[in-house]
Amino acid sequence: MNWQIILAISVVTYSISVLLQRVLLKNDKSDPIAYSIVFQLLTGILIGIYAMLSGFSTPSLFPLIPNLILMTILYGAGNVFIFSALKIIDASEFTILFASRAMITIIGAIIFLKESFSVQQALGTLLIISSVVLVSWKKQRLAFNKGFVFSSLAALSFGLAFTNDAFVLNNFDVPSYLTIAFIAPALAVWAIYPRSTMRMKPLLEKRTLWKLALLGFFYAISAITIFLAYQIGRNASQIAPLSQTATIITVLLSIIFLKEKTGLLNKLLGAIISFIGVILIK
């Protein structure tokens, strides 16, 4: 199976997880940090079960300690920045700013992973990011405030984290690494915010826990397949912008299943622009 098909599975399952989150947890008022910790731990456990069944294995960790520490810091801080941003700005504005993480990953892949990136691929990347902006735009301008800063820091953290992950996965089994990559940052955030423990109780109730497990299942598939795609293609600079099409797929699924037709013309135009961008990047 080629990397494009595996990446497509990742994009679709991620879009499904976002859609399910909007439907299943629509009226959920859980503390965002507590939610992040529980969700990451649950997803990490699900991936860990798969890793155990397929043969959990790790290389010599000593040479990778700096990268593992960096992974924990970047994902832990990135999640905190995300929640801090979403408390201040709209989800649409955050989506636009967070899309810039693709550019961070591309720059990181070129510098640290020595990947090549053509003018055609750069044009495709700009088209995909433009499509994300088009379908998410709801305001006349982006305000430079704390929300802008937190969103940009989140994009920087996740963009660099993907590059770091790509480097580590040159020596690591994907499910085994992702088990650590989900659980370690969650524990780090938990250690920084110990008071969130008391706010986890509603999330552990049976009615909510099964919803989180379902979301975690699809998110786990998405995470595993995106890194499997990288292990086959060795092309983080292509995968990063292509993964942004998940925003467009989510919007289209929302039109079909949730009947969300506001700004329909922009959404359809965004899908067309994104499709052209995908063709250029491939």
Side-chain angles (χ1 to χ4, degrees):
M1 189 179 294
N2 60 40
W3 68 267
Q4 290 97 335
I5 294 175
I6 296 175
L7 180 62
I9 294 172
S10 176
V11 169
V12 171
T13 50
Y14 176 79
S15 299
I16 291 173
S17 73
V18 172
L19 201 66
L20 284 173
Q21 187 173 32
R22 291 170 61 180
V23 174
L24 298 179
L25 300 175
K26 184 176 181 180
N27 298 315
D28 188 78
K29 302 299 182 183
S30 301
D31 175 74
I33 292 179
Y35 173 86
S36 167
I37 294 169
V38 173
F39 180 72
Q40 286 187 89
L41 287 176
L42 185 58
T43 305
I45 290 170
L46 290 173
I47 295 175
I49 293 171
Y50 172 72
M52 291 294 183
L53 293 175
S54 60
F56 188 94
S57 63
T58 61
S60 174
L61 295 180
F62 184 76
L64 297 173
I65 286 177
N67 298 93
L68 295 175
I69 293 174
L70 183 61
M71 174 269 291
T72 302
I73 293 172
L74 288 174
Y75 279 126
N79 279 303
V80 173
F81 290 140
I82 286 173
F83 303 134
S84 299
L86 289 173
K87 284 184 177 180
I88 302 172
I89 63 175
D90 292 338
S92 59
E93 187 176 351
F94 172 80
T95 299
I96 293 170
L97 295 169
F98 194 55
S100 64
R101 71 189 185 279
M103 301 302 297
I104 304 297
T105 297
I106 290 169
I107 294 170
I110 293 171
I111 295 174
F112 299 109
L113 303 179
K114 308 303 180 184
E115 293 185 8
S116 59
F117 199 66
S118 67
V119 174
Q120 177 179 310
Q121 290 169 335
L123 178 59
T125 298
L126 290 175
L127 287 176
I128 290 175
I129 293 178
S130 297
S131 70
V132 172
V133 173
L134 184 62
V135 301
S136 304
W137 189 263
K138 290 183 179 179
K139 292 185 175 182
Q140 296 299 316
R141 62 186 179 86
L142 295 175
F144 185 82
N145 52 26
K146 286 185 178 180
F148 182 98
V149 174
F150 287 141
S151 299
S152 300
L153 288 174
L156 177 64
S157 298
F158 273 80
L160 292 175
F162 190 87
T163 305
N164 182 62
D165 291 337
F167 177 81
V168 174
L169 285 170
N170 289 324
N171 307 287
F172 226 113
D173 169 65
V174 170
S176 302
Y177 173 68
L178 286 180
T179 301
I180 299 171
F182 273 91
I183 292 177
L187 293 177
V189 173
W190 197 353
I192 295 171
Y193 296 95
R195 293 184 180 180
S196 61
T197 304
M198 298 301 297
R199 300 175 189 138
M200 294 180 189
K201 188 176 179 180
L203 297 170
L204 300 178
E205 295 176 356
K206 185 178 180 180
R207 186 178 62 178
T208 304
L209 192 60
W210 79 265
K211 297 178 182 178
L212 288 175
L214 183 61
L215 295 175
F217 173 75
F218 281 101
Y219 199 87
I221 294 175
S222 176
I224 291 171
T225 48
I226 194 171
F227 286 113
L228 285 177
Y230 172 76
Q231 281 199 329
I232 294 172
R234 300 294 179 185
N235 51 347
S237 58
Q238 286 178 279
I239 288 174
L242 288 173
S243 66
Q244 296 297 308
T245 57
T247 299
I248 308 301
I249 302 247
T250 302
V251 167
L252 295 177
L253 289 176
S254 298
I255 294 172
I256 296 170
F257 295 106
L258 302 183
K259 310 301 181 184
E260 295 181 357
K261 297 183 179 180
T262 304
L264 183 59
L265 182 61
N266 278 11
K267 292 174 181 178
L268 294 177
L269 184 59
I272 294 171
I273 294 173
S274 179
F275 179 71
I276 295 171
V278 168
I279 293 174
L280 290 174
I281 290 177
K282 288 199 301 182

